[in-house]
mmCIF file of all heavy atoms in Angstrom:
data_model
loop_
_atom_site.group_PDB
_atom_site.id
_atom_site.type_symbol
_atom_site.label_atom_id
_atom_site.label_comp_id
_atom_site.label_asym_id
_atom_site.label_seq_id
_atom_site.Cartn_x
_atom_site.Cartn_y
_atom_site.Cartn_z
ATOM 1 N N GLU A 1 0.840 -1.192 0.000
ATOM 2 C CA GLU A 1 0.000 0.000 0.000
ATOM 3 C C GLU A 1 0.876 1.243 0.000
ATOM 4 O O GLU A 1 1.847 1.329 0.751
ATOM 5 C CB GLU A 1 -0.911 0.046 1.224
ATOM 6 C CG GLU A 1 -2.170 -0.781 1.101
ATOM 7 C CD GLU A 1 -3.101 -0.570 2.275
ATOM 8 O OE1 GLU A 1 -2.632 -0.602 3.422
ATOM 9 O OE2 GLU A 1 -4.298 -0.385 2.055
ATOM 10 N N VAL A 2 0.512 2.199 -0.821
ATOM 11 C CA VAL A 2 1.186 3.498 -0.824
ATOM 12 C C VAL A 2 0.161 4.557 -0.453
ATOM 13 O O VAL A 2 -0.907 4.649 -1.072
ATOM 14 C CB VAL A 2 1.777 3.811 -2.220
ATOM 15 C CG1 VAL A 2 2.352 5.220 -2.242
ATOM 16 C CG2 VAL A 2 2.850 2.798 -2.581
ATOM 17 N N PHE A 3 0.467 5.333 0.578
ATOM 18 C CA PHE A 3 -0.428 6.399 1.015
ATOM 19 C C PHE A 3 0.118 7.747 0.569
ATOM 20 O O PHE A 3 1.296 8.056 0.790
ATOM 21 C CB PHE A 3 -0.580 6.391 2.535
ATOM 22 C CG PHE A 3 -1.329 5.201 3.066
ATOM 23 C CD1 PHE A 3 -0.655 4.176 3.711
ATOM 24 C CD2 PHE A 3 -2.691 5.099 2.913
ATOM 25 C CE1 PHE A 3 -1.334 3.068 4.188
ATOM 26 C CE2 PHE A 3 -3.389 4.001 3.389
ATOM 27 C CZ PHE A 3 -2.701 2.984 4.034
ATOM 28 N N ILE A 4 -0.732 8.533 -0.042
ATOM 29 C CA ILE A 4 -0.376 9.893 -0.438
ATOM 30 C C ILE A 4 -0.945 10.835 0.610
ATOM 31 O O ILE A 4 -2.147 10.875 0.837
ATOM 32 C CB ILE A 4 -0.955 10.247 -1.829
ATOM 33 C CG1 ILE A 4 -0.585 9.175 -2.859
ATOM 34 C CG2 ILE A 4 -0.469 11.621 -2.252
ATOM 35 C CD1 ILE A 4 0.895 9.007 -3.108
ATOM 36 N N GLY A 5 -0.074 11.594 1.248
ATOM 37 C CA GLY A 5 -0.526 12.487 2.310
ATOM 38 C C GLY A 5 -0.946 11.720 3.545
ATOM 39 O O GLY A 5 -2.068 11.879 4.054
ATOM 40 N N SER A 6 -0.054 10.892 4.064
ATOM 41 C CA SER A 6 -0.362 10.048 5.222
ATOM 42 C C SER A 6 -0.691 10.869 6.465
ATOM 43 O O SER A 6 -0.084 11.909 6.726
ATOM 44 C CB SER A 6 0.830 9.139 5.526
ATOM 45 O OG SER A 6 0.661 8.469 6.751
ATOM 46 N N ASN A 7 -1.670 10.381 7.234
ATOM 47 C CA ASN A 7 -2.059 11.007 8.501
ATOM 48 C C ASN A 7 -1.582 10.191 9.702
ATOM 49 O O ASN A 7 -2.193 10.238 10.771
ATOM 50 C CB ASN A 7 -3.583 11.151 8.565
ATOM 51 C CG ASN A 7 -4.100 12.191 7.596
ATOM 52 O OD1 ASN A 7 -3.459 13.202 7.349
ATOM 53 N ND2 ASN A 7 -5.264 11.931 7.026
ATOM 54 N N ALA A 8 -0.503 9.430 9.537
ATOM 55 C CA ALA A 8 -0.048 8.513 10.575
ATOM 56 C C ALA A 8 0.155 9.201 11.923
ATOM 57 O O ALA A 8 -0.296 8.706 12.964
ATOM 58 C CB ALA A 8 1.240 7.813 10.137
ATOM 59 N N SER A 9 0.843 10.323 11.920
ATOM 60 C CA SER A 9 1.132 10.989 13.194
ATOM 61 C C SER A 9 -0.142 11.487 13.872
ATOM 62 O O SER A 9 -0.284 11.427 15.092
ATOM 63 C CB SER A 9 2.103 12.150 12.985
ATOM 64 O OG SER A 9 1.565 13.103 12.083
ATOM 65 N N LYS A 10 -1.117 11.962 13.072
ATOM 66 C CA LYS A 10 -2.395 12.420 13.631
ATOM 67 C C LYS A 10 -3.175 11.249 14.224
ATOM 68 O O LYS A 10 -3.802 11.367 15.275
ATOM 69 C CB LYS A 10 -3.232 13.113 12.557
ATOM 70 C CG LYS A 10 -2.649 14.422 12.049
ATOM 71 C CD LYS A 10 -3.535 15.028 10.982
ATOM 72 C CE LYS A 10 -2.947 16.325 10.447
ATOM 73 N NZ LYS A 10 -3.790 16.908 9.379
ATOM 74 N N ILE A 11 -3.132 10.114 13.525
ATOM 75 C CA ILE A 11 -3.845 8.932 14.013
ATOM 76 C C ILE A 11 -3.204 8.426 15.295
ATOM 77 O O ILE A 11 -3.895 7.940 16.199
ATOM 78 C CB ILE A 11 -3.874 7.842 12.929
ATOM 79 C CG1 ILE A 11 -4.687 8.333 11.729
ATOM 80 C CG2 ILE A 11 -4.465 6.537 13.468
ATOM 81 C CD1 ILE A 11 -4.653 7.423 10.532
ATOM 82 N N ALA A 12 -1.890 8.550 15.406
ATOM 83 C CA ALA A 12 -1.199 8.145 16.635
ATOM 84 C C ALA A 12 -1.715 8.951 17.824
ATOM 85 O O ALA A 12 -1.929 8.413 18.916
ATOM 86 C CB ALA A 12 0.307 8.327 16.477
ATOM 87 N N LYS A 13 -1.932 10.250 17.608
ATOM 88 C CA LYS A 13 -2.458 11.095 18.683
ATOM 89 C C LYS A 13 -3.891 10.702 19.031
ATOM 90 O O LYS A 13 -4.270 10.686 20.207
ATOM 91 C CB LYS A 13 -2.389 12.565 18.271
ATOM 92 C CG LYS A 13 -0.961 13.097 18.150
ATOM 93 C CD LYS A 13 -0.958 14.547 17.699
ATOM 94 C CE LYS A 13 0.468 15.059 17.557
ATOM 95 N NZ LYS A 13 0.513 16.468 17.070
ATOM 96 N N LEU A 14 -4.684 10.379 18.006
ATOM 97 C CA LEU A 14 -6.055 9.923 18.233
ATOM 98 C C LEU A 14 -6.046 8.659 19.084
ATOM 99 O O LEU A 14 -6.829 8.516 20.031
ATOM 100 C CB LEU A 14 -6.753 9.662 16.893
ATOM 101 C CG LEU A 14 -8.096 8.920 16.944
ATOM 102 C CD1 LEU A 14 -9.149 9.809 17.571
ATOM 103 C CD2 LEU A 14 -8.535 8.494 15.541
ATOM 104 N N TRP A 15 -5.156 7.739 18.743
ATOM 105 C CA TRP A 15 -5.074 6.475 19.477
ATOM 106 C C TRP A 15 -4.683 6.708 20.935
ATOM 107 O O TRP A 15 -5.195 6.052 21.844
ATOM 108 C CB TRP A 15 -4.078 5.547 18.805
ATOM 109 C CG TRP A 15 -3.968 4.210 19.460
ATOM 110 C CD1 TRP A 15 -2.954 3.765 20.265
ATOM 111 C CD2 TRP A 15 -4.923 3.137 19.399
ATOM 112 N NE1 TRP A 15 -3.217 2.486 20.697
ATOM 113 C CE2 TRP A 15 -4.413 2.083 20.186
ATOM 114 C CE3 TRP A 15 -6.152 2.984 18.759
ATOM 115 C CZ2 TRP A 15 -5.098 0.877 20.332
ATOM 116 C CZ3 TRP A 15 -6.833 1.790 18.900
ATOM 117 C CH2 TRP A 15 -6.309 0.754 19.685
ATOM 118 N N ASP A 16 -3.791 7.642 21.161
ATOM 119 C CA ASP A 16 -3.334 7.923 22.522
ATOM 120 C C ASP A 16 -4.451 8.431 23.415
ATOM 121 O O ASP A 16 -4.332 8.392 24.649
ATOM 122 C CB ASP A 16 -2.180 8.936 22.493
ATOM 123 C CG ASP A 16 -0.882 8.324 21.976
ATOM 124 O OD1 ASP A 16 -0.767 7.077 21.995
ATOM 125 O OD2 ASP A 16 0.003 9.089 21.547
ATOM 126 N N ASN A 17 -5.535 8.909 22.822
ATOM 127 C CA ASN A 17 -6.669 9.368 23.627
ATOM 128 C C ASN A 17 -7.362 8.215 24.347
ATOM 129 O O ASN A 17 -8.061 8.414 25.336
ATOM 130 C CB ASN A 17 -7.688 10.113 22.754
ATOM 131 C CG ASN A 17 -7.178 11.463 22.296
ATOM 132 O OD1 ASN A 17 -6.335 12.074 22.954
ATOM 133 N ND2 ASN A 17 -7.675 11.936 21.159
ATOM 134 N N GLY A 18 -7.189 7.002 23.810
ATOM 135 C CA GLY A 18 -7.662 5.807 24.500
ATOM 136 C C GLY A 18 -9.155 5.614 24.539
ATOM 137 O O GLY A 18 -9.681 4.992 25.466
ATOM 138 N N HIS A 19 -9.906 6.127 23.547
ATOM 139 C CA HIS A 19 -11.361 6.014 23.576
ATOM 140 C C HIS A 19 -11.899 4.888 22.696
ATOM 141 O O HIS A 19 -13.103 4.765 22.519
ATOM 142 C CB HIS A 19 -11.992 7.339 23.137
ATOM 143 C CG HIS A 19 -11.652 8.487 24.032
ATOM 144 N ND1 HIS A 19 -11.733 8.413 25.410
ATOM 145 C CD2 HIS A 19 -11.207 9.736 23.747
ATOM 146 C CE1 HIS A 19 -11.372 9.572 25.938
ATOM 147 N NE2 HIS A 19 -11.041 10.394 24.953
ATOM 148 N N THR A 20 -11.023 4.080 22.146
ATOM 149 C CA THR A 20 -11.467 3.038 21.231
ATOM 150 C C THR A 20 -10.590 1.800 21.360
ATOM 151 O O THR A 20 -9.448 1.881 21.835
ATOM 152 C CB THR A 20 -11.446 3.571 19.779
ATOM 153 O OG1 THR A 20 -12.031 2.637 18.914
ATOM 154 C CG2 THR A 20 -10.026 3.859 19.325
ATOM 155 N N ASP A 21 -11.135 0.646 20.949
ATOM 156 C CA ASP A 21 -10.382 -0.604 21.027
ATOM 157 C C ASP A 21 -9.608 -0.901 19.746
ATOM 158 O O ASP A 21 -8.594 -1.592 19.781
ATOM 159 C CB ASP A 21 -11.338 -1.774 21.313
ATOM 160 C CG ASP A 21 -12.018 -1.632 22.661
ATOM 161 O OD1 ASP A 21 -11.306 -1.584 23.675
ATOM 162 O OD2 ASP A 21 -13.264 -1.561 22.688
ATOM 163 N N PHE A 22 -10.108 -0.403 18.621
ATOM 164 C CA PHE A 22 -9.368 -0.544 17.375
ATOM 165 C C PHE A 22 -9.773 0.556 16.408
ATOM 166 O O PHE A 22 -10.851 1.140 16.522
ATOM 167 C CB PHE A 22 -9.568 -1.935 16.742
ATOM 168 C CG PHE A 22 -10.955 -2.249 16.260
ATOM 169 C CD1 PHE A 22 -11.294 -2.129 14.915
ATOM 170 C CD2 PHE A 22 -11.947 -2.691 17.138
ATOM 171 C CE1 PHE A 22 -12.562 -2.432 14.461
ATOM 172 C CE2 PHE A 22 -13.219 -3.002 16.694
ATOM 173 C CZ PHE A 22 -13.533 -2.865 15.353
ATOM 174 N N VAL A 23 -8.872 0.853 15.491
ATOM 175 C CA VAL A 23 -9.091 1.900 14.500
ATOM 176 C C VAL A 23 -8.925 1.302 13.116
ATOM 177 O O VAL A 23 -7.954 0.595 12.845
ATOM 178 C CB VAL A 23 -8.097 3.066 14.689
ATOM 179 C CG1 VAL A 23 -8.161 4.024 13.496
ATOM 180 C CG2 VAL A 23 -8.385 3.817 15.974
ATOM 181 N N CYS A 24 -9.862 1.594 12.247
ATOM 182 C CA CYS A 24 -9.815 1.160 10.851
ATOM 183 C C CYS A 24 -9.456 2.365 9.990
ATOM 184 O O CYS A 24 -10.189 3.351 9.959
ATOM 185 C CB CYS A 24 -11.181 0.599 10.446
ATOM 186 S SG CYS A 24 -11.360 0.240 8.687
ATOM 187 N N GLY A 25 -8.318 2.305 9.319
ATOM 188 C CA GLY A 25 -7.901 3.390 8.443
ATOM 189 C C GLY A 25 -8.683 3.366 7.137
ATOM 190 O O GLY A 25 -8.829 2.314 6.519
ATOM 191 N N VAL A 26 -9.197 4.515 6.729
ATOM 192 C CA VAL A 26 -9.969 4.614 5.488
ATOM 193 C C VAL A 26 -9.482 5.803 4.670
ATOM 194 O O VAL A 26 -8.768 6.672 5.165
ATOM 195 C CB VAL A 26 -11.478 4.767 5.775
ATOM 196 C CG1 VAL A 26 -12.015 3.602 6.587
ATOM 197 C CG2 VAL A 26 -11.764 6.096 6.496
ATOM 198 N N THR A 27 -9.878 5.825 3.411
ATOM 199 C CA THR A 27 -9.713 7.015 2.579
ATOM 200 C C THR A 27 -11.067 7.355 1.971
ATOM 201 O O THR A 27 -11.971 6.513 1.941
ATOM 202 C CB THR A 27 -8.695 6.791 1.439
ATOM 203 O OG1 THR A 27 -9.122 5.691 0.638
ATOM 204 C CG2 THR A 27 -7.311 6.502 2.009
ATOM 205 N N ARG A 28 -11.206 8.573 1.511
ATOM 206 C CA ARG A 28 -12.439 8.968 0.826
ATOM 207 C C ARG A 28 -12.249 8.720 -0.669
ATOM 208 O O ARG A 28 -11.263 9.171 -1.255
ATOM 209 C CB ARG A 28 -12.781 10.430 1.114
ATOM 210 C CG ARG A 28 -13.083 10.672 2.593
ATOM 211 C CD ARG A 28 -13.774 11.989 2.828
ATOM 212 N NE ARG A 28 -14.043 12.201 4.250
ATOM 213 C CZ ARG A 28 -15.068 11.682 4.906
ATOM 214 N NH1 ARG A 28 -15.945 10.926 4.260
ATOM 215 N NH2 ARG A 28 -15.234 11.917 6.190
ATOM 216 N N GLU A 29 -13.164 7.978 -1.239
ATOM 217 C CA GLU A 29 -13.028 7.535 -2.617
ATOM 218 C C GLU A 29 -14.291 7.853 -3.404
ATOM 219 O O GLU A 29 -15.395 7.447 -3.027
ATOM 220 C CB GLU A 29 -12.765 6.023 -2.641
ATOM 221 C CG GLU A 29 -12.664 5.404 -3.997
ATOM 222 C CD GLU A 29 -11.572 6.012 -4.845
ATOM 223 O OE1 GLU A 29 -10.394 5.920 -4.466
ATOM 224 O OE2 GLU A 29 -11.932 6.593 -5.892
ATOM 225 N N ASP A 30 -14.130 8.605 -4.500
ATOM 226 C CA ASP A 30 -15.280 8.987 -5.325
ATOM 227 C C ASP A 30 -15.720 7.879 -6.274
ATOM 228 O O ASP A 30 -16.847 7.895 -6.765
ATOM 229 C CB ASP A 30 -14.950 10.243 -6.141
ATOM 230 C CG ASP A 30 -14.733 11.464 -5.258
ATOM 231 O OD1 ASP A 30 -15.343 11.509 -4.170
ATOM 232 O OD2 ASP A 30 -13.962 12.351 -5.650
ATOM 233 N N ASN A 31 -14.837 6.933 -6.536
ATOM 234 C CA ASN A 31 -15.127 5.861 -7.478
ATOM 235 C C ASN A 31 -15.627 4.620 -6.737
ATOM 236 O O ASN A 31 -14.845 3.933 -6.085
ATOM 237 C CB ASN A 31 -13.869 5.525 -8.283
ATOM 238 C CG ASN A 31 -14.102 4.414 -9.291
ATOM 239 O OD1 ASN A 31 -15.243 3.990 -9.522
ATOM 240 N ND2 ASN A 31 -13.025 3.928 -9.887
ATOM 241 N N PRO A 32 -16.916 4.305 -6.816
ATOM 242 C CA PRO A 32 -17.449 3.136 -6.101
ATOM 243 C C PRO A 32 -16.745 1.834 -6.460
ATOM 244 O O PRO A 32 -16.600 0.953 -5.614
ATOM 245 C CB PRO A 32 -18.924 3.106 -6.529
ATOM 246 C CG PRO A 32 -19.240 4.515 -6.904
ATOM 247 C CD PRO A 32 -17.988 5.032 -7.533
ATOM 248 N N ALA A 33 -16.274 1.713 -7.715
ATOM 249 C CA ALA A 33 -15.605 0.488 -8.140
ATOM 250 C C ALA A 33 -14.336 0.237 -7.335
ATOM 251 O O ALA A 33 -13.975 -0.915 -7.067
ATOM 252 C CB ALA A 33 -15.277 0.558 -9.630
ATOM 253 N N ALA A 34 -13.664 1.313 -6.941
ATOM 254 C CA ALA A 34 -12.451 1.168 -6.140
ATOM 255 C C ALA A 34 -12.782 0.601 -4.761
ATOM 256 O O ALA A 34 -12.025 -0.199 -4.209
ATOM 257 C CB ALA A 34 -11.746 2.513 -6.001
ATOM 258 N N ILE A 35 -13.916 1.010 -4.200
ATOM 259 C CA ILE A 35 -14.349 0.477 -2.905
ATOM 260 C C ILE A 35 -14.768 -0.975 -3.056
ATOM 261 O O ILE A 35 -14.448 -1.818 -2.219
ATOM 262 C CB ILE A 35 -15.507 1.330 -2.341
ATOM 263 C CG1 ILE A 35 -15.061 2.790 -2.169
ATOM 264 C CG2 ILE A 35 -15.990 0.746 -1.001
ATOM 265 C CD1 ILE A 35 -16.178 3.720 -1.752
ATOM 266 N N MET A 36 -15.463 -1.269 -4.149
ATOM 267 C CA MET A 36 -15.904 -2.646 -4.394
ATOM 268 C C MET A 36 -14.729 -3.613 -4.539
ATOM 269 O O MET A 36 -14.847 -4.795 -4.248
ATOM 270 C CB MET A 36 -16.772 -2.701 -5.658
ATOM 271 C CG MET A 36 -18.117 -2.014 -5.514
ATOM 272 S SD MET A 36 -19.041 -2.009 -7.077
ATOM 273 C CE MET A 36 -20.530 -1.134 -6.597
ATOM 274 N N GLY A 37 -13.602 -3.099 -4.977
ATOM 275 C CA GLY A 37 -12.421 -3.938 -5.115
ATOM 276 C C GLY A 37 -11.653 -4.109 -3.835
ATOM 277 O O GLY A 37 -10.708 -4.909 -3.772
ATOM 278 N N ASN A 38 -12.053 -3.389 -2.798
ATOM 279 C CA ASN A 38 -11.361 -3.465 -1.514
ATOM 280 C C ASN A 38 -12.370 -3.839 -0.430
ATOM 281 O O ASN A 38 -12.851 -4.952 -0.388
ATOM 282 C CB ASN A 38 -10.669 -2.136 -1.226
ATOM 283 C CG ASN A 38 -9.492 -2.284 -0.298
ATOM 284 O OD1 ASN A 38 -8.736 -3.240 -0.412
ATOM 285 N ND2 ASN A 38 -9.319 -1.336 0.602
ATOM 286 N N TYR A 39 -12.709 -2.933 0.471
ATOM 287 C CA TYR A 39 -13.815 -3.196 1.396
ATOM 288 C C TYR A 39 -14.465 -1.896 1.836
ATOM 289 O O TYR A 39 -13.847 -0.831 1.800
ATOM 290 C CB TYR A 39 -13.367 -4.040 2.596
ATOM 291 C CG TYR A 39 -12.478 -3.379 3.631
ATOM 292 C CD1 TYR A 39 -13.023 -2.716 4.740
ATOM 293 C CD2 TYR A 39 -11.092 -3.481 3.557
ATOM 294 C CE1 TYR A 39 -12.215 -2.152 5.713
ATOM 295 C CE2 TYR A 39 -10.277 -2.932 4.527
ATOM 296 C CZ TYR A 39 -10.834 -2.264 5.607
ATOM 297 O OH TYR A 39 -10.023 -1.709 6.569
ATOM 298 N N SER A 40 -15.722 -1.995 2.180
ATOM 299 C CA SER A 40 -16.497 -0.834 2.606
ATOM 300 C C SER A 40 -16.678 -0.850 4.117
ATOM 301 O O SER A 40 -16.541 -1.895 4.756
ATOM 302 C CB SER A 40 -17.871 -0.824 1.924
ATOM 303 O OG SER A 40 -18.621 -1.962 2.326
ATOM 304 N N VAL A 41 -16.991 0.312 4.675
ATOM 305 C CA VAL A 41 -17.257 0.402 6.111
ATOM 306 C C VAL A 41 -18.544 1.174 6.343
ATOM 307 O O VAL A 41 -18.899 2.075 5.578
ATOM 308 C CB VAL A 41 -16.094 1.084 6.870
ATOM 309 C CG1 VAL A 41 -14.802 0.304 6.709
ATOM 310 C CG2 VAL A 41 -15.896 2.523 6.414
ATOM 311 N N GLU A 42 -19.240 0.805 7.380
ATOM 312 C CA GLU A 42 -20.450 1.515 7.808
ATOM 313 C C GLU A 42 -20.205 2.050 9.212
ATOM 314 O O GLU A 42 -19.691 1.321 10.087
ATOM 315 C CB GLU A 42 -21.651 0.574 7.810
ATOM 316 C CG GLU A 42 -22.006 -0.009 6.447
ATOM 317 C CD GLU A 42 -22.547 1.029 5.485
ATOM 318 O OE1 GLU A 42 -23.069 2.074 5.962
ATOM 319 O OE2 GLU A 42 -22.448 0.816 4.264
ATOM 320 N N VAL A 43 -20.549 3.321 9.423
ATOM 321 C CA VAL A 43 -20.331 3.939 10.728
ATOM 322 C C VAL A 43 -21.612 4.606 11.210
ATOM 323 O O VAL A 43 -22.511 4.904 10.424
ATOM 324 C CB VAL A 43 -19.198 4.984 10.670
ATOM 325 C CG1 VAL A 43 -17.863 4.322 10.342
ATOM 326 C CG2 VAL A 43 -19.514 6.076 9.648
ATOM 327 N N ASP A 44 -21.674 4.842 12.507
ATOM 328 C CA ASP A 44 -22.831 5.563 13.047
ATOM 329 C C ASP A 44 -22.544 7.059 13.030
ATOM 330 O O ASP A 44 -21.523 7.505 12.490
ATOM 331 C CB ASP A 44 -23.196 5.056 14.447
ATOM 332 C CG ASP A 44 -22.087 5.288 15.474
ATOM 333 O OD1 ASP A 44 -21.187 6.126 15.220
ATOM 334 O OD2 ASP A 44 -22.126 4.639 16.532
ATOM 335 N N ASN A 45 -23.423 7.853 13.645
ATOM 336 C CA ASN A 45 -23.289 9.309 13.538
ATOM 337 C C ASN A 45 -22.173 9.901 14.384
ATOM 338 O O ASN A 45 -21.903 11.101 14.302
ATOM 339 C CB ASN A 45 -24.622 10.002 13.882
ATOM 340 C CG ASN A 45 -25.117 9.640 15.281
ATOM 341 O OD1 ASN A 45 -24.443 8.952 16.040
ATOM 342 N ND2 ASN A 45 -26.303 10.122 15.610
ATOM 343 N N ILE A 46 -21.497 9.097 15.191
ATOM 344 C CA ILE A 46 -20.347 9.597 15.949
ATOM 345 C C ILE A 46 -19.052 8.947 15.473
ATOM 346 O O ILE A 46 -18.003 9.078 16.107
ATOM 347 C CB ILE A 46 -20.522 9.390 17.470
ATOM 348 C CG1 ILE A 46 -20.666 7.898 17.820
ATOM 349 C CG2 ILE A 46 -21.701 10.182 17.999
ATOM 350 C CD1 ILE A 46 -20.608 7.633 19.328
ATOM 351 N N GLY A 47 -19.118 8.243 14.341
ATOM 352 C CA GLY A 47 -17.913 7.684 13.753
ATOM 353 C C GLY A 47 -17.506 6.318 14.253
ATOM 354 O O GLY A 47 -16.418 5.836 13.942
ATOM 355 N N SER A 48 -18.370 5.682 15.030
ATOM 356 C CA SER A 48 -18.065 4.332 15.497
ATOM 357 C C SER A 48 -18.348 3.330 14.385
ATOM 358 O O SER A 48 -19.336 3.453 13.658
ATOM 359 C CB SER A 48 -18.907 3.980 16.727
ATOM 360 O OG SER A 48 -18.549 4.790 17.826
#
């Protein structure tokens, strides 16, 4: 995987807050076919 504009350091700070058991990294993708070739996620209104 190659990430363009990685948010690794920001995610590390999010993790240090300790409010979650696991984090799933995602990107925003305008092409549905790209999501279909990988995996989709469903979240609630607070991002869980």
Side-chain angles (χ1 to χ4, degrees):
E1 278 186 313
V2 174
F3 291 106
I4 308 298
S6 171
N7 290 325
S9 59
K10 293 179 181 179
I11 295 173
K13 292 178 181 178
L14 168 69
W15 182 256
D16 287 341
N17 289 334
H19 298 313
T20 188
D21 297 300
F22 66 99
V23 169
C24 172
V26 302
T27 58
R28 296 196 180 279
E29 177 58 62
D30 294 331
N31 180 9
I35 301 174
M36 291 176 181
N38 205 40
Y39 71 90
S40 63
V41 299
E42 298 291 336
V43 296
D44 63 18
N45 58 5
I46 61 170
S48 294

